[in-house]
Amino acid sequence: MKIAMFTNTYLPHVGGVARSVKTLEDECRKLGHDVRVIAPESDAADESPDVLRVPAIQNFNGSDFSVRLPFPNKIRDFIDEFQPDIIHSHHPFLLGDAALREAWKSGVPIVFTHHTLYERYTHYVPLDSDALKRVAIQLATEYCNLCTHVIAPSDSIAKLLLERGVKAPVTSIPTGIDTQTFSSADGAGFRARYGISSEQTVIGHVGRLAEEKNLGFLAEAVGEVLERHPDAVFLLVGDGPAKEAVEARIPAGRIIATGSLHGQDLADAYAAMDIFAFASQSETQGMVLAEAMAAGVPVVALDGPGVREILFNDRNGVLLDGDADSASFADALSRLISEHEFRGSCSEQAAIVSEEYDRAATTARIIDLYESLIAGNHREPEDSGPWDRLLNGVQIEWEIAAARISAVAAVVSITPATEVAID
């Protein structure tokens, strides 16, 4: 099978979507499938014949995201040469639009994974407002309905999409992780490298350090716990614009900030932790929670989409109400520090729950979906001549324009999609 993946974020970018795409790409190749990735250029990226890097504005508006520049012929030539059987889009804009165009012109199915609650990221765009958030919701909803099939990373997001008016078929499939690597990691070695003794309790966090991750709340709660427990330290893995603000709220000498880690180093970092702390409510699935649990680390988190599917209160950690305050969060962390038997039980259950997220199993489900869509596709690519492609191109441009108009209309009026509250 030939699979083309379009993504606005890709390694070396640090973030859940980039890692998700790379994991799926690698697993598909292991199964013998031919995969090509279309992604924005990056100064730090390694060159690969399997990856088309398109010109882009890097670090848009001070963020660590890239915005592609319009060079449609470069993508068109790449797709013409590759002749994919299916296209998988990982964003509903920028290269997501290019994915739609190529799928419609080529007559192949297009799958879209709704990785992100886009309305939680509008602060990266000038003139952020409630109106802009409505535009983001409507844009993603309209995009879903132009695709053949939609993948939701969790049941919470699948339910949300249907309530927002997505008519395309939606299937819930989480992003897979390499459970074997995380479960066999060397936590003791990591502690030794960073000067953390075996007697110290390590509260850890992994992720992109940005505003939408609710890191101010997390730092306040962790800071309070460190004041209560002199033998505890905070292990912060990741990078981003909020890093300095987080470090400033943690007592001096009580934080180990490693920056971004990858591969075995990241797995070892998880294994060095005793508790994983997570306060974000902008997630569509808790991938870092699954990674921590695969290392046998219990979690304290706020309830939210993608989190409640993997974290079960008093079983593999502590799940707090989404509106819980930082003092309650600190109490939950303290409980896991003080109650050793409870923490041990949660650790065992965390490892068991993580097995449901093994990448081999989740990729097999996606491959099954690809195959069923290809088998049911009645727009055979080889039957599409220049005239057919022209007509398909005109049709998809019309559909994209109509979707944009609908999204812009959300600036001045509430739509059914924007009325739906996130549970």
Side-chain angles (χ1 to χ4, degrees):
M1 189 190 319
K2 292 184 176 181
I3 307 161
M5 298 183 184
F6 286 69
T7 177
N8 293 331
T9 59
Y10 188 69
L11 299 182
H13 174 86
V14 177
V17 177
R19 288 166 62 196
S20 173
V21 174
K22 183 59 177 173
T23 296
L24 179 58
E25 173 195 355
D26 290 345
E27 287 300 301
C28 286
R29 284 210 179 94
K30 284 182 184 178
L31 296 171
H33 302 291
D34 195 357
V35 184
R36 298 289 187 275
V37 176
I38 297 88
E41 65 184 1
S42 171
D43 293 337
D46 295 328
E47 290 189 11
S48 168
D50 297 326
V51 180
L52 173 66
R53 294 285 184 172
V54 299
I57 301 171
Q58 299 182 47
N59 303 116
F60 174 74
N61 199 34
S63 73
D64 53 355
F65 295 105
S66 299
V67 174
R68 62 146 313 202
L69 297 173
F71 284 83
N73 289 341
K74 186 173 185 178
I75 297 174
R76 176 74 262 172
D77 293 344
F78 187 80
I79 293 297
D80 273 346
E81 180 180 352
F82 182 48
Q83 291 291 305
D85 300 306
I86 194 163
I87 287 176
H88 193 153
S89 171
H90 293 274
H91 291 91
F93 45 80
L94 300 174
L95 280 170
D97 288 348
L100 272 177
R101 292 184 175 101
E102 298 308 323
W104 279 58
K105 290 176 182 178
S106 301
V108 300
I110 176 168
V111 175
F112 167 55
T113 295
H114 197 292
H115 289 285
T116 305
L117 293 171
Y118 299 99
E119 65 273 20
R120 301 287 176 88
Y121 289 74
T122 56
H123 55 272
Y124 288 113
V125 181
L127 304 177
D128 180 24
S129 64
D130 289 341
L132 188 57
K133 289 176 171 57
R134 292 197 299 271
V135 169
I137 292 170
Q138 191 66 30
L139 178 66
T141 303
E142 298 287 351
Y143 188 89
C144 287
N145 285 329
L146 293 176
C147 295
T148 313
H149 204 103
V150 177
I151 294 176
S154 63
D155 291 340
S156 296
I157 298 303
K159 177 175 177 286
L160 177 67
L161 295 181
L162 295 174
E163 290 176 346
R164 284 181 170 176
V166 171
K167 304 302 181 186
V170 179
T171 300
S172 177
I173 305 176
T175 295
I177 64 167
D178 183 358
T179 55
Q180 177 59 34
T181 294
F182 292 107
S183 65
S184 60
D186 182 12
F190 185 94
R191 284 184 174 227
R193 288 196 299 276
Y194 284 88
I196 306 170
S197 75
S198 58
E199 289 78 24
Q200 288 180 293
T201 301
V202 177
I203 302 168
H205 178 80
V206 173
R208 192 167 52 82
L209 307 181
E211 177 184 335
E212 65 275 5
K213 302 298 183 179
N214 200 20
L215 293 172
F217 175 99
L218 181 68
E220 183 177 351
V222 171
E224 183 175 339
V225 172
L226 296 180
E227 294 287 354
R228 298 182 196 175
H229 301 273
D231 64 338
V233 294
F234 184 39
L235 174 57
L236 182 66
V237 180
D239 212 340
K243 183 178 180 181
E244 290 185 3
V246 173
E247 292 178 330
R249 301 182 74 165
I250 302 298
R254 306 291 295 281
I255 183 171
I256 299 94
T258 67
S260 297
L261 297 177
H262 306 280
Q264 191 60 53
D265 288 337
L266 176 61
D268 291 345
Y270 278 116
M273 299 173 188
D274 294 295
I275 306 163
F276 190 82
F278 191 76
S280 174
Q281 292 186 294
S282 64
E283 309 304 309
T284 56
Q285 82 162 86
M287 189 164 72
V288 292
L289 305 189
E291 292 172 345
M293 290 180 192
V297 182
V299 173
V300 175
L302 298 177
D303 184 31
V307 175
R308 66 179 67 105
E309 279 84 0
I310 188 171
L311 180 56
F312 307 101
N313 190 45
D314 287 352
R315 178 182 167 194
N316 52 355
V318 180
L319 179 64
L320 297 165
D321 290 342
D323 60 357
D325 58 23
S326 60
S328 298
F329 199 98
D331 288 342
L333 291 171
S334 289
R335 180 186 174 198
L336 279 165
I337 292 174
S338 303
E339 298 181 18
H340 299 283
E341 185 175 339
F342 175 58
R343 190 168 82 209
S345 173
C346 287
S347 174
E348 292 176 4
Q349 289 299 314
I352 292 171
V353 170
S354 72
E355 289 296 331
E356 299 176 17
Y357 293 80
D358 184 74
R359 62 186 183 178
T362 59
T363 301
R365 293 179 61 192
I366 293 176
I367 292 297
D368 287 345
L369 175 61
Y370 288 164
E371 291 175 342
S372 68
L373 295 177
I374 293 169
N377 182 34
H378 301 299
R379 299 168 60 215
E380 295 297 333
E382 59 269 21
D383 294 337
S384 299
W387 180 246
D388 297 300
R389 288 194 173 192
L390 176 62
L391 291 179
N392 289 339
V394 170
Q395 183 179 1
I396 189 54
E397 292 300 337
W398 176 265
E399 298 286 356
I400 289 174
R404 295 294 180 269
I405 292 170
S406 176
V408 171
V411 170
V412 295
S413 62
I414 296 174
T415 68
T418 60
E419 282 186 312
V420 178
I422 298 173
D423 182 12

